[in-house]
């Protein structure tokens, strides 16, 4: 089940999103064959990415979160578009650890130039790092509680809660999101027991009375294609490609996001330049 529930609460001073991303996270685990620790980290990042993709406004909007490895951390990247088509990968060698690295967010709303923000990673916890990012880079007070729970290869539950203060908010609204964040314990466990809708009801039932809740459905979908890869290869020039094909038998391009190999033999290369 993949769903985002989005609404405004506290007299429209707080934007609230509850995400249930169990299916999305399971798909990511299966595509990459990850162990539970790496799958948990990637799953939490994908949930944050789905939240951010859900905030995009333009038809051409896209967002990416990239983790650059520090000394003891791995690298990872997730991205998504306005249709909530999400994809991502993680270098599993660091066991899903993040601390010590850097996080970069690129938000492209399809207008003018993309917004880029970055911050240092402060812990191994995806939620804390995202809160830190919003504080440092976008100066928006945000509470993030994302989680993913695995039993071996099976994702039992994944999802989270994101609360963001809107401009002109009162002190009460700020106190409200602090208190709610404190109240939420193991969010993956809550999702497992109650589902996304149940989490919305349990923590925000009274506060969402009368507000319209928008429901959208994120899914794992890579936007790569043989045509797109061919267009990129074309820019390298025929001679260069022929040289690689001669040396290696073919030109092979790997998509990290969906674990697909695209292979171009000598004949394919000839065709590219016809
Ligand atoms: Zn792909």
């Amino acid at each position: 089940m993949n769903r985002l529930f989005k609404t405004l609460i506290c007299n429209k001073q707080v934007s609230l999103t509850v995400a249930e991303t169990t299916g999305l996270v399971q798909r990511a685990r299966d595509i990459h064959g990850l162990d539970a620790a790496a799958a948990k980290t990637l799953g939490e990042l994908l949930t944050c990415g789905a939240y951010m993709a859900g905030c995009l406004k333009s038809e051409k909007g896209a967002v990416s979160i990239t983790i650059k490895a520090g000394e003891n951390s791995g690298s990872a990247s997730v991205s998504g578009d306005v249709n909530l088509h999400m994809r991502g990968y993680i270098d599993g060698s660091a066991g899903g650890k993040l601390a010590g690295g850097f996080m970069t967010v690129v938000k492209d709303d399809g207008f003018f130039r993309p917004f880029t923000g970055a911050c240092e990673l402060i812990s191994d916890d995806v939620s804390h790092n995202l809160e830190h990012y919003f504080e440092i880079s976008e100066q928006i007070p945000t509470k993030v509680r994302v989680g993913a729970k695995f039993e071996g290869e099976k994702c039992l539950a994944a999802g989270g809660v994101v609360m963001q203060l809107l401009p002109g908010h009162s002190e009460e609204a700020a106190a409200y999101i602090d208190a709610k964040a404190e109240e939420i314990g193991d969010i993956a466990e809550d999702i497992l027991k109650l589902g996304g809708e149940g989490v919305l009801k349990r923590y925000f039932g009274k506060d969402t009375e009368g507000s319209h809740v928008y429901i959208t459905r994120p899914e794992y979908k890579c936007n790569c294609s043989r045509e797109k890869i061919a267009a990129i290869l074309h820019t390298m020039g025929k001679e260069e490609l022929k040289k690689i094909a001669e040396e290696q038998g073919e030109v092979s391009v790997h998509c990290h996001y969906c674990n697909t190999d695209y292979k171009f033999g000598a004949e394919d290369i000839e065709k590219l330049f016809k």
Side-chain angles (χ1 to χ4, degrees):
M1 180 74 90
N2 297 315
R3 284 192 294 181
L4 288 191
F5 301 88
K6 208 175 161 172
T7 190
L8 295 174
I9 53 174
C10 296
N11 290 321
K12 302 195 167 140
Q13 294 177 38
V14 173
S15 153
L16 166 70
T17 298
V18 174
E20 183 174 356
T21 52
T22 310
L24 173 70
V25 173
Q26 180 72 62
R27 183 103 180 86
R29 201 239 57 102
D30 293 344
I31 285 173
H32 299 293
L34 299 168
D35 63 36
K40 178 181 184 319
T41 300
L42 179 61
E44 292 177 1
L45 284 169
L46 276 167
T47 303
C48 293
Y51 162 71
M52 289 169 109
C55 296
L56 294 166
K57 287 176 184 75
S58 153
E59 260 172 58
K60 290 181 192 152
V63 63
S64 68
I65 306 171
T66 302
I67 305 292
K68 216 168 169 198
E71 215 171 295
N72 300 309
S73 72
S75 50
S77 181
V78 302
S79 64
D81 62 23
V82 73
N83 301 310
L84 301 183
H85 292 163
M86 305 304 303
R87 56 184 196 157
Y89 68 84
I90 188 164
D91 161 17
S93 61
K97 283 201 163 42
L98 297 173
F102 275 88
M103 175 188 283
T104 307
V105 172
V106 179
K107 268 194 236 175
D108 188 349
D109 237 325
F111 317 112
F112 196 50
R113 104 169 39 150
F115 168 86
T116 304
C119 71
E120 208 169 330
L121 297 170
I122 51 168
S123 81
D124 274 328
D125 185 280
V126 170
S127 301
H128 288 159
N129 286 312
L130 244 287
E131 285 179 357
H132 182 63
Y133 162 78
F134 278 115
E135 185 191 329
I136 297 292
S137 198
E138 300 196 22
Q139 284 99 42
I140 303 175
T142 308
K143 291 291 169 190
V144 182
R145 292 290 179 271
V146 291
K149 207 177 183 72
F150 277 84
E151 197 174 79
E153 295 179 352
K154 188 174 162 45
C155 180
L156 299 175
V161 171
V162 181
M163 292 171 283
Q164 202 157 55
L165 288 176
L166 297 174
H169 63 83
S170 63
E171 273 176 34
E172 285 82 2
Y176 174 88
I177 69 166
D178 285 350
K180 280 292 168 192
E182 282 291 313
E183 209 183 302
I184 298 169
D186 184 344
I187 186 66
E189 188 65 32
D190 285 337
I191 299 274
L192 178 62
K193 283 191 192 140
L194 308 167
E197 202 166 3
V199 167
L200 186 69
K201 273 202 191 114
R202 175 181 165 179
Y203 291 104
F204 307 97
K206 248 203 267 158
D207 306 316
T208 53
E209 266 172 27
S211 350
H212 185 77
V213 179
Y214 293 89
I215 301 174
T216 48
R217 294 170 197 282
E219 61 173 317
Y220 199 102
K221 204 167 184 182
C222 191
N223 60 3
C224 71
S225 68
R226 192 168 172 87
E227 289 69 34
K228 280 188 187 169
I229 302 288
I232 295 165
L233 288 179
H234 196 269
T235 63
M236 291 170 67
K238 193 175 178 179
E239 290 316 307
E240 181 66 22
L241 291 174
K242 275 170 78 177
K243 210 174 112 193
I244 299 170
E246 261 165 42
E247 284 168 11
Q248 300 173 8
E250 64 196 357
V251 177
S252 178
V253 179
H254 182 72
C255 176
H256 287 289
Y257 287 105
C258 62
N259 231 353
T260 305
D261 285 308
Y262 292 95
K263 296 180 190 301
F264 294 80
E267 260 180 50
D268 300 317
I269 291 164
E270 283 297 331
K271 268 191 223 159
L272 272 183
F273 291 90
K274 259 189 186 156

